[in-house]
Structures are given as structure tokens and as C-alpha cells.
Amino acid sequence: MNILLIGSGGREHALAWKLAQSPLCTRLFACPGNPGIAAHAELVDLTIEDHAAVVAFCEERRIGLVVIGPEAPLVDGLADSLRSAGVPVFGPGKAAAQLEGSKAFTKELCERHNIPTAGFVRVTSEAQGLAALDAFAIPVVIKADGLAAGKGVTVAMSRAEAEQAVREIFSGRFGAAGAEAVIEEFMEGEEVSFFAITDGHTVVPFGSAQDHKRVGDGDVGPNTGGMGAYSPARVLTPLLEGETLERIIAPTVRGLADEGTPYSGVLFAGLMLTNQGVKLIEYNCRFGDPECQVLMLRYEGDLAELLLATAENRLATLPPPRFSDNAALTVVIAASGYPGAPAQGGEIGALAKAEAEGAKVFHAGTAMDGGRLVSKGGRVLNVTASGQSVGAAQKIAYHAINKIDFNDGFFRHDIGWREVEREAKE
């Protein structure tokens, strides 16, 4: 069958790489794609916001499956438009995608269905937000309600910082994403990412990972979209994974179905492992980035078959997803200045040398300028490797990075450090 992949980042390069390996895949198209994705797919120029144009392309090219990578088209309802036209699509509709599109939506769903999460207040104005801070201890978490490209969250370590974060959200800095805000209690513990695939009825686990959000070594500096990740996250033990499925994932899927907004796609749960058990931090309605890169490196099944069965509401007919026992680790190379004002246009070279070291280099923010591969800014490359342990995968990834020519880039030197320390004590 012909497949259309929507997106242009490192997550989508990993998905394209895996989809292209499927015996079911006759032709793979990607919109807009990137130079790395172009090695696996035909790049097409469509305006994703123009749903009619996307539907027309699918009809013209007889697309048998659309895979929507990023969150914005899901929140915009692209999956609904495709389903209405009879095109199988992997990803939730607009109503269910509010799980990521509105933090308040998710918190209130948790409240209705007794899903463990941090205490919270939803506020709709600066004055209301400032007054609501009185009910919370410091540190406190302040979040813009809508999609803010990973930049609308502040963990305030003082009352002054909390007040500044509230004012910033309602100042218009985040546009429509800052029309409302959520103030949450701060949770102590270790963060972990858990993934599940669901067609709205059947739920299957799809691995764990741990992301590194802070820009600098030692988890310092501002939050980013993610500077690296590893999988599996063994700190999420089989017992805790079972607790997550029973107390968080299953009630979410049942609750959405019961309320008339069934969820189909991948559920990405950001979790906090607290002294009171596993608690939900937030949901994403798509594969994580860079978590997807390590999951795809470990996944041993046919991705197109899995996503099509999900889209066609027959997930229960497939065996459970299979993953390699090996660990995988990815390191993000970002453009200088990220996450503030990243440089653009820097030339990138020697990626083949990096892959000769045993790594897989996924493109994120890259472009072609004439015959040169250059940076588009932001997160540029994901250098990804597997090994018998996280430490082994880490060594391969960093050896590979040292082969890459990219003077405008930087990266963290300690991705996977928590698990590497745990492994060293075993």
C-alpha cells in the first residue's frame, strides 16, 4: 500500500526509516519531510492546514494509511478530515487530541476518572492566576494551557518567579496557547515516559524511555524539546508499568470512549515516580521526540502493520509489540543558541563517518542549500545507537558524534547518566 507520513523532524525520520522497512509499504510519501526522510520517501509539497488538499492527494495517490507525526495537525483535526473521506489514519481526532492540546482538559479528565496526577487549578486571567498561587507551596509548576512548542512550562522556585510566569503567559507571549493556564503542585520523583498504542478499545504497551529536557549537562539551564533519550527506562519496573496501565492508561481510554471522544493512536504518558506511586504529569498525543528515535531502533515488528491495524480498529488481532532486549540511546545535536535564538545555515558533514561507527543519524532541523546539507536551527540531528546496556549505547553514540563536522552545533555530554550510574552499581 501507499503511505503518507506527515511531519519534518527527527521523530518523522525515525518513523519513515521504520515504515520503509515494512513489506506492506509500496510507496512512502512524506510532507514536508527533510533531507534524511528523503532517503526513504518521496517528499511532497502540501499545505497541511489545507485539509481538502491533503485528502485530494490521498485520493489521487491511493494512500492506504496516513501517519500524522506532530501534534499540531492532530489538534487541528486533520485526522477527522481524513477519516471522513474514508482514509485510514493513525492519530486521534481533534476532540481526543485535546489531551495534548489543553492541559486543563487532561487534568479535569483525571479528576473525573480518579487518575493520579498533581493537584491543580485552571485559571483564565492574570489576576485569577496570581490569586491562585496562595493555595500552592513553592516550588510550583505554571503551564500555558495550549500548545506552546514545549516552552510554556515553568517550575518556579520562588513566589516571584511564579508570579512572573503567570504574567508571562497572560502577556500574549504564547499566543492562543496562553489564553488560559494551569497551576500545579510540584511533584518530587524521577520522570519517565511510557507509551501505549490503542484503537479506542484494545490497549498495548509500546515501551518506555527517559528524556533529558534541560539544555545543559547535569540537567541545568532552560527546558528544551528534549536533548536526548534512552530506552528502556528500567526505573519503570514491570510492577510500575502494570500500575500505569491499570490506573492511568486504561481509565483514560475508557473515559474518553464513554464521553464520546474515543482515542485512536499512540498515548505518550509523561510520568512522575513519586513516594505515593506513579502519577501522570501530562499526555502527548503523538510519539515523543526524541523518544521515538530510541523506540524505533528497538522495535522489531512491522510498524506499518501495527499502525494500520490501529487505524482500522483491529489492534486486538495482532500479537503484542516486540522490542529488542538491547538498549538504545539518542543524543540531540542542536544549533548554537538553542533553545533561545538558534543559529541557522551552518554546514553539516561526515554523517557517513558517524554511521560507520555503528550509529543511526536521524535528521531533525536540516535542509539542502544547493548541494550542501545545512542546519535550519533548533534541534538539528539525533545520533542514535543501540547496545547491550545504556552505557554501551552511550559510548557508540558519542564516538559517532565526534566524527560529525558541524561547527555551529552543540550537545549534552551526559545523556543517559542516571541509568549509566545505576548500571555501574550492578
Side-chain angles (χ1 to χ4, degrees):
M1 67 178 171
N2 295 339
I3 302 172
L4 172 63
L5 172 65
I6 304 292
S8 63
R11 166 184 50 226
E12 286 76 36
H13 187 182
L15 292 171
W17 173 73
K18 200 67 181 177
L19 286 168
Q21 297 172 32
S22 170
L24 294 177
C25 183
T26 305
R27 294 177 73 183
L28 178 61
F29 299 92
C31 176
N34 66 37
I37 294 172
H40 313 288
E42 296 179 46
L43 305 190
V44 295
D45 185 17
L46 291 169
T47 302
I48 299 303
E49 296 77 13
D50 185 348
H51 294 189
V54 177
V55 169
F57 176 85
C58 290
E59 291 173 344
E60 177 188 341
R61 298 303 179 99
R62 297 183 179 179
I63 299 296
L65 174 66
V66 176
V67 179
I68 302 176
E71 63 274 18
L74 293 167
V75 172
D76 188 44
L78 178 58
D80 296 311
S81 299
L82 289 162
R83 287 193 181 101
S84 295
V87 180
V89 55
F90 181 82
K94 182 174 184 175
Q98 289 181 86
L99 277 182
E100 182 166 1
S102 169
K103 294 175 178 63
F105 173 89
T106 296
K107 299 297 281 191
E108 291 169 354
L109 179 81
C110 290
E111 198 170 50
R112 290 193 300 275
H113 297 282
N114 298 313
I115 296 167
T117 188
F120 75 101
V121 171
R122 179 181 193 167
V123 297
T124 58
S125 70
E126 179 182 311
Q128 190 182 9
L130 294 173
L133 290 174
D134 292 338
F136 291 86
I138 299 296
V140 63
V141 182
I142 318 293
K143 298 180 177 180
D145 180 62
L147 297 179
K151 297 176 182 177
V153 178
T154 299
V155 180
M157 305 306 291
S158 68
R159 174 68 182 238
E161 189 180 359
E163 291 178 354
Q164 180 184 351
V166 170
R167 292 190 178 100
E168 192 172 59
I169 287 172
F170 289 104
S171 72
R173 177 184 173 188
F174 302 110
E180 296 187 7
V182 170
I183 301 174
E184 296 182 7
E185 68 172 329
F186 176 78
M187 293 189 289
E188 293 274 4
E190 188 167 345
E191 289 189 40
V192 65
S193 301
F194 179 73
F195 298 83
I197 306 290
T198 179
D199 56 11
H201 306 283
T202 301
V203 177
V204 297
F206 198 77
S208 63
Q210 190 169 70
D211 190 12
H212 298 61
K213 286 293 186 189
R214 299 284 186 173
V215 74
D217 289 2
D219 293 320
V220 300
N223 273 329
T224 70
M227 294 299 294
Y230 69 89
S231 175
R234 292 192 303 161
V235 69
L236 188 73
T237 63
L239 184 65
L240 292 176
E241 183 176 310
E243 181 182 334
T244 301
L245 285 165
E246 181 181 347
R247 301 190 62 208
I248 297 176
I249 304 296
T252 298
V253 173
R254 283 197 306 268
L256 288 170
D258 290 346
E259 294 174 11
T261 54
Y263 190 101
S264 177
V266 59
L267 266 177
F268 166 10
L271 306 172
M272 186 69 77
L273 308 183
T274 77
N275 290 333
Q276 297 80 42
V278 182
K279 293 189 178 183
L280 178 71
I281 302 171
E282 62 185 20
Y283 274 125
N284 293 312
C285 60
R286 35 69 189 183
F287 287 107
D289 189 348
E291 293 94 339
C292 183
Q293 289 83 315
V294 290
L295 290 174
M296 290 304 120
L297 210 64
R298 294 185 58 235
Y299 180 55
E300 294 183 331
D302 183 329
L303 185 65
E305 180 183 42
L306 176 68
L307 303 192
L308 181 63
T310 305
E312 294 182 340
N313 196 26
R314 50 180 181 83
L315 187 56
T317 66
L318 297 187
R322 302 187 315 275
F323 288 87
S324 168
D325 291 334
N326 279 358
L329 181 141
T330 189
V331 180
V332 169
I333 304 180
S336 299
Y338 177 77
Q344 298 186 28
E347 187 167 2
I348 303 163
L351 297 188
K353 290 182 180 179
E355 294 200 329
E357 294 293 318
K360 175 64 184 173
V361 181
F362 294 116
H363 292 230
T366 65
M368 295 303 297
D369 181 8
R372 302 183 311 138
L373 181 68
V374 300
S375 161
K376 289 176 61 179
R379 294 180 294 171
V380 181
L381 299 169
N382 310 132
V383 182
T384 312
S386 63
Q388 291 187 334
S389 66
V390 171
Q394 184 192 61
K395 287 179 182 177
I396 296 169
Y398 282 111
H399 279 308
I401 285 173
N402 289 332
K403 301 294 183 181
I404 294 174
D405 294 330
F406 180 33
N407 293 332
D408 282 353
F410 77 96
F411 54 91
R412 278 184 58 164
H413 301 80
D414 62 346
I415 299 302
W417 67 269
R418 290 181 184 86
E419 186 62 16
V420 171
E421 283 187 359
R422 284 189 279 259
E423 290 174 350
K425 293 176 183 177
E426 293 178 349

